[in-house]
Amino acid sequence: DPPEAASVDAIVYDVDFEGTDDKDLLQALRDASTLYRLRQDPPPDGEGVIRRAEVDGPRLTDALWGAGYYNGTVSILVDGVPVAASREGASRSSGRLELYRRRAPVPIRVVVNASTQFTIRNVVVRNSVTRVPFDETILPPYIARLRVGDPARSASILAAEARIVDHFRG
């Protein structure tokens, strides 16, 4: 949905994601993004926009990693300027955003460089004491449910770990 009309009380902004055609990854990034989720509730000033962008940096990186893009990067540009890491830079940027008040939405670009999605190369579960891999009679492959070539999504790997632990507890 487009952002609401510019008002006197808020700094309205528009968020565009660029750099990926992967619909699942795009949805994961949108779900993780404070800027995107709160776009219909614009902040009262430029500082609020900058704070949302600062919070989004680590969240969007986590979403990339969660999808198996461990070398991926995300850049957030507010009005064409990368979000500054320092508070001094953020204060200057937030003042510039006041120029958009009652005129137009602030353009925000989230530029995604997903790089290559990591995949499972092999699956070996070892005894923590002997370091010897478990035989298929002790730990059948269907327990882990990870296959060579599958995307190395963190949720899949953590779920496999939980299933293996449950298998040995049972």
Coordinates of all heavy atoms in Angstrom, one line a residue, residues 20-73:
T20 N 16.8 -7.9 -5.2 CA 16.5 -9.3 -5.2 C 15.1 -9.5 -5.9 O 14.2 -8.7 -5.7 CB 16.4 -9.8 -3.7 OG1 16.1 -11.2 -3.8 CG2 15.4 -9.1 -2.9
D21 N 15.1 -10.6 -6.6 CA 13.8 -11.1 -7.2 C 13.2 -12.3 -6.5 O 12.2 -12.8 -6.8 CB 14.1 -11.5 -8.7 CG 14.5 -10.3 -9.5 OD1 14.0 -9.1 -9.2 OD2 15.3 -10.4 -10.5
D22 N 13.9 -12.7 -5.5 CA 13.5 -13.9 -4.7 C 12.3 -13.4 -3.8 O 12.5 -12.7 -2.8 CB 14.7 -14.4 -3.8 CG 14.3 -15.6 -3.0 OD1 13.1 -15.8 -2.6 OD2 15.3 -16.3 -2.6
K23 N 11.1 -13.9 -4.1 CA 9.9 -13.4 -3.4 C 10.0 -13.8 -1.9 O 9.5 -13.0 -1.0 CB 8.7 -14.0 -4.0 CG 8.4 -13.3 -5.4 CD 7.2 -13.9 -6.0 CE 7.1 -13.3 -7.4 NZ 6.0 -13.8 -8.2
D24 N 10.5 -15.0 -1.6 CA 10.6 -15.4 -0.2 C 11.6 -14.5 0.6 O 11.3 -14.2 1.7 CB 11.0 -16.9 -0.1 CG 9.9 -17.8 -0.6 OD1 8.7 -17.5 -0.6 OD2 10.3 -19.0 -1.0
L25 N 12.7 -14.2 0.0 CA 13.7 -13.4 0.7 C 13.1 -12.0 0.8 O 13.2 -11.4 1.9 CB 15.0 -13.3 -0.1 CG 16.1 -12.4 0.4 CD1 16.4 -12.8 1.8 CD2 17.3 -12.4 -0.5
L26 N 12.4 -11.5 -0.2 CA 11.8 -10.1 -0.1 C 10.8 -10.1 1.0 O 10.8 -9.1 1.8 CB 11.2 -9.7 -1.4 CG 10.5 -8.4 -1.5 CD1 11.5 -7.3 -1.2 CD2 9.9 -8.2 -2.8
Q27 N 10.0 -11.1 1.2 CA 9.0 -11.1 2.2 C 9.7 -11.2 3.6 O 9.3 -10.6 4.6 CB 8.1 -12.3 2.1 CG 6.9 -12.3 3.0 CD 6.1 -11.0 2.9 OE1 5.7 -10.6 1.8 NE2 5.9 -10.3 4.0
A28 N 10.8 -12.0 3.7 CA 11.5 -12.1 5.0 C 12.1 -10.7 5.3 O 12.1 -10.3 6.5 CB 12.6 -13.1 4.9
L29 N 12.6 -10.0 4.4 CA 13.2 -8.7 4.6 C 12.1 -7.7 5.0 O 12.3 -6.9 6.0 CB 13.9 -8.2 3.4 CG 15.2 -8.9 3.0 CD1 15.6 -8.5 1.6 CD2 16.3 -8.7 4.0
R30 N 11.0 -7.7 4.4 CA 9.9 -6.9 4.7 C 9.3 -7.2 6.1 O 9.0 -6.3 6.9 CB 8.7 -7.0 3.7 CG 9.0 -6.3 2.4 CD 7.9 -6.5 1.4 NE 8.1 -5.7 0.2 CZ 7.5 -5.9 -0.9 NH1 6.5 -6.8 -1.0 NH2 7.8 -5.1 -1.9
D31 N 9.3 -8.5 6.5 CA 8.8 -8.9 7.8 C 9.8 -8.4 8.9 O 9.3 -8.1 10.0 CB 8.7 -10.4 7.9 CG 7.5 -10.9 7.1 OD1 6.6 -10.1 6.7 OD2 7.4 -12.1 6.9
A32 N 11.0 -8.3 8.6 CA 12.1 -7.9 9.6 C 12.2 -6.4 9.7 O 12.7 -5.9 10.6 CB 13.4 -8.5 9.2
S33 N 11.7 -5.7 8.7 CA 11.9 -4.2 8.6 C 10.9 -3.4 9.4 O 9.7 -3.4 9.1 CB 11.9 -3.8 7.1 OG 11.9 -2.4 7.0
T34 N 11.5 -2.7 10.3 CA 10.6 -1.7 11.1 C 10.1 -0.6 10.2 O 9.0 -0.2 10.2 CB 11.4 -1.1 12.2 OG1 11.9 -2.2 13.1 CG2 10.6 -0.1 13.1
L35 N 11.0 -0.1 9.3 CA 10.6 0.9 8.3 C 9.4 0.4 7.5 O 8.4 1.2 7.3 CB 11.7 1.2 7.4 CG 12.8 2.1 7.9 CD1 14.0 2.0 7.0 CD2 12.4 3.5 8.0
Y36 N 9.4 -0.8 7.0 CA 8.3 -1.3 6.2 C 7.1 -1.5 7.0 O 6.0 -1.1 6.6 CB 8.8 -2.6 5.5 CG 7.8 -3.1 4.4 CD1 7.7 -2.4 3.2 CD2 6.9 -4.1 4.7 CE1 6.8 -2.9 2.3 CE2 6.0 -4.5 3.8 CZ 5.9 -3.9 2.6 OH 5.0 -4.3 1.7
R37 N 7.2 -2.2 8.1 CA 6.0 -2.6 8.9 C 5.3 -1.3 9.5 O 4.1 -1.3 9.6 CB 6.4 -3.5 10.1 CG 6.6 -4.9 9.6 CD 6.9 -5.9 10.8 NE 8.2 -5.6 11.4 CZ 8.4 -5.1 12.6 NH1 7.4 -4.7 13.3 NH2 9.6 -4.9 13.0
L38 N 6.1 -0.3 9.8 CA 5.5 0.9 10.4 C 5.3 2.1 9.4 O 5.0 3.2 9.8 CB 6.3 1.4 11.5 CG 6.4 0.5 12.7 CD1 7.4 1.0 13.8 CD2 5.1 0.1 13.3
R39 N 5.4 1.8 8.1 CA 5.3 2.8 7.1 C 3.9 3.6 7.1 O 3.8 4.7 6.7 CB 5.6 2.3 5.7 CG 4.6 1.4 5.1 CD 5.1 0.6 3.9 NE 4.1 -0.3 3.3 CZ 3.7 -1.4 3.8 NH1 4.2 -1.9 4.9 NH2 2.7 -2.1 3.2
Q40 N 2.9 2.9 7.5 CA 1.5 3.5 7.6 C 1.4 4.4 8.9 O 0.3 5.0 9.1 CB 0.4 2.5 7.5 CG 0.4 1.7 6.2 CD 0.2 2.5 5.0 OE1 -0.4 3.6 5.0 NE2 0.9 2.2 3.9
D41 N 2.4 4.3 9.8 CA 2.4 5.1 11.0 C 3.6 5.9 11.0 O 4.6 5.7 11.8 CB 2.3 4.1 12.2 CG 2.2 4.9 13.5 OD1 1.8 6.0 13.5 OD2 2.5 4.3 14.5
P42 N 3.7 7.0 10.2 CA 4.9 7.8 10.1 C 5.3 8.5 11.4 O 4.4 8.9 12.2 CB 4.6 8.8 9.0 CG 3.2 8.8 8.8 CD 2.6 7.5 9.4
P43 N 6.6 8.6 11.6 CA 7.1 9.3 12.8 C 6.8 10.8 12.8 O 6.7 11.3 11.7 CB 8.6 8.9 12.9 CG 8.9 8.7 11.5 CD 7.7 8.1 10.8
P44 N 6.9 11.5 13.9 CA 6.6 12.9 13.9 C 7.8 13.8 13.4 O 7.6 14.9 13.1 CB 6.4 13.2 15.4 CG 7.2 12.1 16.1 CD 7.1 10.9 15.2
D45 N 9.0 13.2 13.3 CA 10.1 14.0 12.8 C 11.1 13.1 12.1 O 11.0 11.9 12.0 CB 10.7 14.7 14.0 CG 11.1 13.8 15.1 OD1 11.4 12.6 14.8 OD2 11.2 14.2 16.2
G46 N 12.1 13.8 11.5 CA 13.1 13.1 10.7 C 14.0 12.2 11.6 O 14.4 11.1 11.1
E47 N 14.1 12.5 12.9 CA 14.9 11.7 13.8 C 14.2 10.3 13.9 O 14.9 9.3 14.0 CB 15.0 12.4 15.2 CG 15.7 11.6 16.2 CD 17.2 11.6 16.0 OE1 17.7 12.4 15.3 OE2 17.9 10.7 16.5
G48 N 12.9 10.3 13.9 CA 12.2 9.0 14.0 C 12.4 8.1 12.8 O 12.6 6.9 12.9
V49 N 12.5 8.7 11.6 CA 12.8 8.0 10.4 C 14.2 7.4 10.4 O 14.4 6.2 10.1 CB 12.7 8.9 9.1 CG1 13.1 8.2 7.9 CG2 11.2 9.4 9.0
I50 N 15.2 8.2 10.9 CA 16.6 7.8 11.0 C 16.7 6.6 12.0 O 17.4 5.6 11.7 CB 17.5 8.9 11.3 CG1 17.5 10.0 10.2 CG2 18.9 8.4 11.6 CD1 18.0 9.6 8.9
R51 N 16.0 6.8 13.1 CA 16.1 5.7 14.1 C 15.5 4.4 13.6 O 16.1 3.3 13.8 CB 15.3 6.1 15.4 CG 16.0 7.1 16.2 CD 15.3 7.4 17.5 NE 16.0 8.4 18.2 CZ 15.4 9.1 19.2 NH1 14.2 8.8 19.6 NH2 16.1 10.0 19.9
R52 N 14.4 4.5 12.9 CA 13.9 3.2 12.3 C 14.9 2.6 11.3 O 15.1 1.4 11.3 CB 12.6 3.5 11.5 CG 11.4 3.8 12.5 CD 10.1 4.0 11.7 NE 9.1 4.4 12.6 CZ 7.8 4.7 12.3 NH1 7.5 4.6 11.0 NH2 6.9 5.0 13.1
A53 N 15.5 3.4 10.5 CA 16.5 2.9 9.5 C 17.7 2.3 10.3 O 18.2 1.3 9.9 CB 17.0 4.1 8.6
E54 N 18.2 2.9 11.4 CA 19.3 2.4 12.1 C 18.9 1.0 12.7 O 19.8 0.1 12.7 CB 19.7 3.4 13.2 CG 20.4 4.6 12.7 CD 20.6 5.6 13.8 OE1 19.9 5.6 14.9 OE2 21.5 6.5 13.6
V55 N 17.7 0.9 13.2 CA 17.3 -0.4 13.8 C 17.2 -1.4 12.8 O 17.5 -2.6 13.0 CB 15.9 -0.2 14.5 CG1 15.3 -1.5 14.8 CG2 16.1 0.7 15.8
D56 N 16.8 -1.1 11.5 CA 16.6 -2.0 10.5 C 17.9 -2.7 10.0 O 17.9 -3.8 9.5 CB 15.9 -1.4 9.3 CG 14.4 -1.5 9.3 OD1 13.9 -2.1 10.4 OD2 13.8 -1.1 8.4
G57 N 19.1 -2.0 10.0 CA 20.3 -2.6 9.5 C 20.6 -4.0 10.0 O 20.7 -4.9 9.3
P58 N 20.7 -4.1 11.4 CA 21.0 -5.5 11.9 C 19.9 -6.5 11.6 O 20.1 -7.7 11.4 CB 21.2 -5.3 13.4 CG 21.5 -3.8 13.5 CD 20.8 -3.1 12.4
R59 N 18.6 -6.0 11.7 CA 17.5 -6.9 11.5 C 17.5 -7.5 10.1 O 17.2 -8.6 9.9 CB 16.2 -6.2 11.7 CG 15.9 -5.8 13.2 CD 14.7 -5.0 13.3 NE 14.4 -4.7 14.7 CZ 13.3 -4.7 15.3 NH1 12.2 -5.0 14.6 NH2 13.1 -4.4 16.5
L60 N 17.8 -6.6 9.1 CA 17.8 -7.0 7.7 C 18.9 -8.0 7.4 O 18.8 -8.9 6.7 CB 17.8 -5.8 6.8 CG 16.5 -5.0 6.9 CD1 16.7 -3.7 6.1 CD2 15.3 -5.7 6.4
T61 N 20.1 -7.7 8.1 CA 21.2 -8.6 7.9 C 20.9 -10.0 8.5 O 21.2 -11.0 7.9 CB 22.5 -8.0 8.6 OG1 22.8 -6.8 8.0 CG2 23.6 -9.0 8.5
D62 N 20.2 -10.0 9.7 CA 19.8 -11.3 10.3 C 18.8 -12.0 9.3 O 18.9 -13.2 9.2 CB 19.1 -11.0 11.6 CG 20.1 -10.7 12.7 OD1 21.3 -10.9 12.5 OD2 19.6 -10.2 13.8
A63 N 17.9 -11.3 8.7 CA 17.0 -11.9 7.8 C 17.7 -12.5 6.6 O 17.4 -13.7 6.1 CB 15.9 -10.9 7.3
L64 N 18.7 -11.9 6.1 CA 19.6 -12.4 5.0 C 20.2 -13.7 5.4 O 20.2 -14.7 4.7 CB 20.6 -11.4 4.6 CG 20.3 -10.4 3.5 CD1 21.5 -9.5 3.3 CD2 19.9 -11.1 2.2
W65 N 20.9 -13.7 6.6 CA 21.6 -14.8 7.1 C 20.6 -16.0 7.4 O 20.9 -17.1 7.1 CB 22.3 -14.5 8.4 CG 23.5 -13.6 8.2 CD1 23.9 -13.0 7.0 CD2 24.4 -13.0 9.1 NE1 25.0 -12.2 7.2 CE2 25.3 -12.2 8.5 CE3 24.4 -13.2 10.5 CZ2 26.3 -11.6 9.2 CZ3 25.5 -12.5 11.2 CH2 26.4 -11.7 10.5
G66 N 19.4 -15.6 7.9 CA 18.4 -16.7 8.2 C 18.0 -17.4 6.9 O 17.6 -18.5 7.0
A67 N 18.1 -16.7 5.8 CA 17.7 -17.3 4.5 C 18.9 -18.0 3.8 O 18.7 -18.5 2.7 CB 17.1 -16.2 3.6
G68 N 20.0 -18.0 4.5 CA 21.2 -18.7 3.9 C 22.1 -17.8 3.1 O 23.0 -18.3 2.5
Y69 N 21.9 -16.5 3.1 CA 22.8 -15.6 2.4 C 23.8 -15.0 3.4 O 23.7 -13.8 3.7 CB 21.9 -14.5 1.7 CG 21.0 -15.0 0.6 CD1 19.7 -15.3 0.9 CD2 21.5 -15.2 -0.6 CE1 18.8 -15.8 -0.1 CE2 20.6 -15.7 -1.6 CZ 19.3 -16.0 -1.3 OH 18.5 -16.5 -2.3
Y70 N 24.7 -15.8 3.8 CA 25.7 -15.4 4.9 C 26.7 -14.4 4.4 O 27.3 -13.7 5.3 CB 26.3 -16.6 5.5 CG 25.3 -17.6 6.1 CD1 24.9 -18.7 5.4 CD2 24.8 -17.3 7.3 CE1 24.0 -19.6 6.0 CE2 23.8 -18.1 7.9 CZ 23.4 -19.3 7.3 OH 22.5 -20.1 7.8
N71 N 26.9 -14.2 3.1 CA 27.8 -13.2 2.6 C 27.0 -11.9 2.2 O 27.6 -11.0 1.6 CB 28.7 -13.7 1.5 CG 29.8 -14.6 2.0 OD1 30.2 -14.5 3.1 ND2 30.3 -15.4 1.1
G72 N 25.7 -11.9 2.4 CA 24.9 -10.8 1.9 C 25.1 -9.6 2.7 O 25.4 -9.6 3.9
T73 N 24.7 -8.4 2.1 CA 24.8 -7.1 2.7 C 23.5 -6.3 2.4 O 22.9 -6.6 1.4 CB 26.0 -6.3 2.3 OG1 26.0 -6.1 0.9 CG2 27.3 -7.0 2.7

